[in-house]
């Protein structure tokens, strides 16, 4: 029984460590996506795809500040004025981000 508990705790610690690594990888992939966007937007899209896969595999959600940087529908990396349009809906207190690649728009409440 005690041995079992120990193993469980160890597995938990391992999962935590993997999640930490996954978060770091996601961060790196997003900054690469940003860095390469101007020369190769498709490569950025690919980085986003990998980052999302890493998140899913390791049960790590993409942080909000990064979630606003890609289109949930087509996966494009969103750069305001280039691949996305940002609009403020002051009535509903939303930021509306529209993907100019596929036209999909998302609302984010702002504080
Ligand atoms: Zn899109």
């Amino acid at each position: 029984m005690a041995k079992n508990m120990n193993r469980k705790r160890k597995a938990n610690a391992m999962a935590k460590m993997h999640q930490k690594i996954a978060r770091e990888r996601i961060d790196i992939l997003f900054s690469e996506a940003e860095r390469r966007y101007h020369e190769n937007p498709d490569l950025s899209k690919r980085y986003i795809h990998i980052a999302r896969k890493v998140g899913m595999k390791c049960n790590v959600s993409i942080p909000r500040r990064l979630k606003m940087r890609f289109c949930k529908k087509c996966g494009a990396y969103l750069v305001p004025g280039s691949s996305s349009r940002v609009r403020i809906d002051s009535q509903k207190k939303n930021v509306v981000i529209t993907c100019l690649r596929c036209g999909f728009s998302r609302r984010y409440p702002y504080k």
Side-chain angles (χ1 to χ4, degrees):
M1 183 71 176
K3 207 175 177 185
N4 236 338
M5 282 286 287
N6 215 350
R7 197 179 296 160
K8 216 174 180 182
R9 206 171 297 156
K10 223 179 219 173
N12 229 328
M14 282 289 276
K16 276 218 176 96
M17 199 183 75
H18 283 148
Q19 284 180 342
K20 187 174 174 269
I21 295 167
R23 260 182 229 113
E24 282 167 7
R25 281 188 68 192
I26 289 168
D27 251 357
I28 291 166
L29 286 160
F30 268 88
S31 50
E32 276 303 296
E34 181 168 19
R35 203 166 65 84
R36 302 301 290 275
Y37 178 79
H38 291 285
E39 48 183 280
N40 194 346
D42 283 334
L43 187 63
S44 300
K45 192 173 166 175
R46 176 100 195 107
Y47 282 137
I48 301 301
H49 180 74
I50 298 167
R52 291 174 80 185
K53 256 186 23 193
V54 168
M56 259 183 262
K57 203 178 141 210
C58 301
N59 238 332
V60 172
S61 58
I62 310 282
R64 188 187 135 99
R65 71 190 155 86
L66 297 180
K67 255 189 193 155
M68 297 170 80
R69 303 304 308 260
F70 67 88
C71 172
K72 216 183 166 188
K73 197 173 176 193
C74 72
Y77 185 66
L78 299 180
V79 175
S82 172
S83 54
S84 76
R85 191 178 58 221
V86 181
R87 191 169 62 81
I88 308 281
D89 184 338
S90 50
Q91 252 176 353
K92 287 179 178 151
K93 295 213 180 328
N94 276 333
V95 180
V96 187
I97 301 177
T98 306
C99 170
L100 298 180
R101 291 286 185 89
C102 73
F104 183 73
S105 67
R106 270 199 92 180
R107 293 174 168 270
Y108 297 89
Y110 64 79
K111 290 164 249 169

